[in-house]
Amino acid sequence: MKALHYILSATIACSLVACSDWDDHYEGSVAEGGDLTLWQQMKSKKELSDFCEVLEHTKLFRMHKKTKASYAEILNSGQSFTVMAPVNGTFNKDELIKLTETNQGDSIVEKFFVKNHIARSAYSITGEPKTIHMLNDKRIVLNPEEINEVKVLEMNGHAKNGVLNVVEKQLPYYYNLYEQMTDREEFKAVGDFIRSYDREEFDEGNSVQNGTIDGVPVYIDSVVIERNDFLTRYLGAKLTSEDSTYWMVVPTAAGWEKAYAEAEKCFVYPTNEEKRDSLQKLYTHSALFTDAIFTMTTNKHPEDSIRSLYWYASEPEYSVYKKPFAQGGLLFGAKATTSSNGMLYETEEWPFDPDMTYKRRLEYECESTSHIISSDKCSYQTRWSSGDSISNEGYLEINPSSNTANWMVKLRFYGVRSTKYDIGVIVLPQTVLNPNAEELKPYQFKADLGYLDENGIKKTYSCSWTDEKGKKQTKFNTNDPARVDTIWVAKGYEYPTCNVYDQQNDNFYLTLTCSMSAAENKKFTRPILIDCILLKPSKEAEEENEE
């Protein structure tokens, strides 16, 4: 990896540092206005002396490092800004100045107070509302009477380098949803986890290079992009973006803890998996956020229904919540908190159904031959049909290599949770392939499940069923040959471990083996048409069977 040199001359005077630190990083037009700079204008107003003192003590941070440049010097430079200056006595000046004595405190004052009152470039207040971004990326709306519900006392004071507005008190700082989750004490458990995925990425294209040393680039202005891989990769949500609008549903600390304890049971990994604990934590958190985030870009009528980020057109029954504010709805009784990029809805309990979120049924379409790990004594091919009872309009045709061959096909499973499933093989009648077929006969095969036990050892479970006489049977042969039928090869089977992480392994599978003697050719048929394999949470399947 290449080393990066960050150079900032320590011998440059503070005023020059201000220009270097600021101007190298931010480019913008110089404002045209009065004879005084913004800093000079504010210093001339006694009612802004508290604000000026805070600006003098607050230093600019770059690359998470405190520079020598104060915001007083920055506002006295040639670059243009718009300032919303709160009058004396409306904020705790002494507390803010004391915070600036440490690097961490100075960073807090810079982000939450100073940058919350300064915008890059010059903007005048007009009769029409105007939305602008402050230096901390927060959005405010400029109005003649008020700015973010704070009264404007003096507006459009034009200076050499921008516009000064005097406001009645400090502007409110609105947390975005990321900040709500990571900074509020009641969300500390989940917030600490989210923050652990924060990272910085060097933006070479937008950084300013100044030659090389021993062939290594030297940068006088380095641009770093802050990212959170958990939010972007696993949730697909830009909760740090001030230009986005999301709704987010999160339970109280007690509600989260209760839901987490239940969900983590579904993400148990073998003891020989090095990442066992971290994987369980990652996918349990992901599971609880499955349907918890909604983008309001696509939810135009939230009073009628809302769809989460996890919604897919191929599975329309999931991730849709009708009448969310009505009694019994997802958001009924939830405590709403406004964020700078949306709304946070806080509930007492985790308000989702596990069977509709992280314990959804798994469906493996057999026409996708990528599921096939291996086969023996047969040929197979994908067939397509538009029949209403055929899922995804495709199925797998398996033909034995001879009239007496007992074929075998091993099908890969992925995304399996460590929970109980009812496992079904959906088969099609031979009339789907040949409408004129006569003497329809059921199929007969054995089924075996492959999995990893708690210690990571490969194991096999032989499926069976109990007939009307109470006798255990290992051959499945009771399907109705005249219709689409589901053969349940296992009921209430509990996987001791999951394979949510390594989905391309061959450890979780279903092996189907034709099991017929030559004499049984008259009673059963060897060629088989398989639509798909279903893994349903046992409770869900039981309810469906009762119906």
Side-chain angles (χ1 to χ4, degrees):
M1 181 179 293
K2 293 183 179 179
L4 302 178
H5 296 266
Y6 304 104
I7 294 180
L8 185 64
S9 175
T11 61
I12 302 177
C14 274
S15 59
L16 294 179
V17 173
C19 293
S20 174
D21 283 346
W22 186 269
D23 297 349
D24 285 346
H25 195 67
Y26 297 99
E27 295 181 358
S29 60
V30 176
E32 296 181 0
D35 296 329
L36 302 177
T37 66
L38 285 165
W39 175 247
Q40 290 168 338
Q41 275 200 8
M42 287 190 290
K43 286 290 286 184
S44 69
K45 295 179 180 291
K46 294 181 179 180
E47 68 273 23
L48 301 181
S49 61
D50 288 355
F51 187 58
C52 288
E53 280 192 61
V54 175
L55 295 177
E56 287 176 318
H57 284 83
T58 307
K59 300 298 192 292
L60 170 70
F61 266 73
R62 290 185 59 200
M63 298 288 296
H64 299 291
K65 293 182 180 179
K66 189 175 183 178
T67 71
K68 294 182 179 180
S70 73
Y71 275 86
E73 294 166 303
I74 291 168
L75 294 176
N76 202 36
S77 69
Q79 297 300 304
S80 60
F81 306 93
T82 301
V83 178
M84 272 53 72
V87 296
N88 293 349
T90 61
F91 55 92
N92 193 327
K93 174 196 69 174
D94 294 333
E95 182 178 339
L96 292 174
I97 291 175
K98 185 172 180 59
L99 278 172
T100 63
E101 294 175 0
T102 66
N103 288 350
Q104 182 180 8
D106 191 281
S107 177
I108 291 173
V109 174
E110 181 191 39
K111 175 183 177 180
F112 291 93
F113 183 75
V114 173
K115 284 186 172 183
N116 203 49
H117 290 86
I118 304 173
R120 186 67 184 165
S121 299
Y123 299 98
S124 296
I125 297 176
T126 63
E128 295 296 323
K130 182 185 300 179
T131 300
I132 66 173
H133 282 81
M134 309 306 285
L135 292 182
N136 58 7
D137 288 330
K138 299 298 179 182
R139 290 177 294 179
I140 68 167
V141 179
L142 298 178
N143 281 301
E145 294 82 17
E146 64 179 27
I147 299 172
N148 277 25
E149 301 182 354
V150 175
K151 185 178 179 181
V152 178
L153 302 179
E154 297 179 27
M155 67 179 184
N156 295 339
H158 289 274
K160 278 184 179 181
N161 60 341
V163 178
L164 173 64
N165 299 297
V166 180
V167 292
E168 183 181 40
K169 58 183 180 180
Q170 73 178 88
L171 300 183
Y173 182 95
Y174 293 113
Y175 283 75
N176 60 39
L177 288 168
Y178 167 83
E179 292 167 333
Q180 293 256 24
M181 296 305 302
T182 56
D183 289 352
R184 288 175 56 180
E185 185 63 28
E186 57 266 45
F187 301 130
K188 179 173 173 54
V190 63
D192 287 349
F193 173 81
I194 293 174
R195 197 187 294 276
S196 70
Y197 279 82
D198 285 350
R199 67 180 179 90
E200 294 179 340
E201 185 177 285
F202 175 64
D203 187 353
E204 185 176 1
N206 288 311
S207 297
V208 180
Q209 184 179 343
N210 185 25
T212 61
I213 295 178
D214 298 328
V216 179
V218 176
Y219 294 92
I220 58 172
D221 183 46
S222 303
V223 177
V224 173
I225 300 173
E226 296 182 348
R227 301 187 188 281
N228 184 285
D229 287 342
F230 177 69
L231 297 179
T232 55
R233 289 180 56 188
Y234 296 97
L235 302 186
K238 299 178 180 179
L239 300 184
T240 60
S241 173
E242 299 294 340
D243 291 322
S244 302
T245 304
Y246 293 101
W247 283 7
M248 191 172 183
V249 186
V250 182
T252 61
W256 179 272
E257 183 178 354
K258 178 182 176 182
Y260 189 94
E262 185 64 28
E264 69 175 349
K265 298 175 185 177
C266 290
F267 302 96
V268 175
Y269 292 84
T271 56
N272 65 348
E273 168 58 63
E274 293 182 1
K275 302 178 181 178
R276 183 174 188 263
D277 293 339
S278 60
L279 287 172
Q280 185 179 39
K281 184 179 292 187
L282 167 62
Y283 287 108
T284 302
H285 279 88
S286 299
L288 296 184
F289 279 116
T290 296
D291 271 358
I293 304 175
F294 307 81
T295 173
M296 304 319 292
T297 302
T298 55
N299 286 289
K300 301 299 183 182
H301 303 286
E303 67 281 358
D304 295 327
S305 68
I306 51 177
R307 299 188 311 203
S308 81
L309 288 177
Y310 213 72
W311 182 86
Y312 294 100
S314 59
E315 297 181 307
E317 69 272 31
Y318 292 115
S319 304
V320 178
Y321 298 89
K322 305 288 187 181
K323 300 292 183 182
F325 295 103
Q327 187 168 1
L330 179 69
L331 303 178
F332 179 75
K335 177 184 176 182
T337 302
T338 300
S339 298
S340 60
N341 61 349
M343 297 292 294
L344 178 69
Y345 289 92
E346 186 176 345
T347 57
E348 288 297 322
E349 302 283 340
W350 188 69
F352 303 98
D353 180 356
D355 286 354
M356 297 299 287
T357 50
Y358 61 86
K359 286 175 64 176
R360 294 179 181 182
R361 71 173 184 268
L362 301 174
E363 186 170 329
Y364 305 98
E365 293 292 343
C366 290
E367 67 270 13
S368 176
T369 56
S370 62
H371 295 315
I372 298 177
I373 298 173
S374 62
S375 62
D376 187 37
K377 298 180 182 179
C378 67
S379 62
Y380 57 83
Q381 62 179 312
T382 296
R383 295 282 190 176
W384 302 101
S385 177
S386 58
D388 292 340
S389 299
I390 302 175
S391 67
N392 206 40
E393 299 184 344
Y395 60 93
L396 181 69
E397 177 190 4
I398 300 175
N399 287 298
S401 57
S402 69
N403 290 335
T404 58
N406 282 325
W407 52 262
M408 181 278 294
V409 172
K410 182 186 288 187
L411 300 158
R412 177 186 293 109
F413 286 170
Y414 55 86
V416 177
R417 274 61 170 163
S418 47
T419 190
K420 290 183 178 180
Y421 287 104
D422 289 357
I423 302 171
V425 180
I426 298 182
V427 295
L428 307 177
Q430 289 291 327
T431 51
V432 170
L433 186 61
N434 179 13
N436 298 318
E438 298 178 354
E439 297 184 19
L440 300 178
K441 294 174 289 185
Y443 306 117
Q444 179 167 277
F445 56 80
K446 290 184 176 182
D448 298 284
L449 295 171
Y451 64 96
L452 294 180
D453 70 6
E454 296 88 342
N455 298 316
I457 299 173
K458 294 182 180 181
K459 293 291 184 69
T460 302
Y461 170 78
S462 296
C463 300
S464 62
W465 60 286
T466 304
D467 63 18
E468 295 177 352
K469 297 179 180 180
K471 187 177 181 180
K472 180 180 178 180
Q473 301 289 344
T474 59
K475 296 179 181 181
F476 294 88
N477 53 19
T478 59
N479 67 289
D480 185 340
R483 67 180 182 88
V484 177
D485 204 357
T486 301
I487 303 173
W488 296 103
V489 298
K491 287 290 189 75
Y493 177 74
E494 184 171 9
Y495 283 94
T497 61
C498 72
N499 78 330
V500 177
Y501 166 59
D502 186 7
Q503 297 188 352
Q504 293 304 313
N505 67 62
D506 297 341
N507 299 321
F508 287 70
Y509 58 82
L510 170 66
T511 299
L512 300 178
T513 306
C514 180
S515 182
M516 292 171 53
S517 65
E520 288 180 308
N521 282 342
K522 296 180 180 180
K523 188 175 181 181
F524 305 106
T525 182
R526 292 179 190 269
I528 188 171
L529 308 181
I530 305 177
D531 185 4
C532 61
I533 310 296
L534 287 182
L535 271 69
K536 290 187 176 184
S538 293
K539 179 182 176 182
E540 177 187 339
E542 288 170 5
E543 291 174 348
E544 184 175 285
N545 291 339
E546 289 174 1
E547 294 174 0

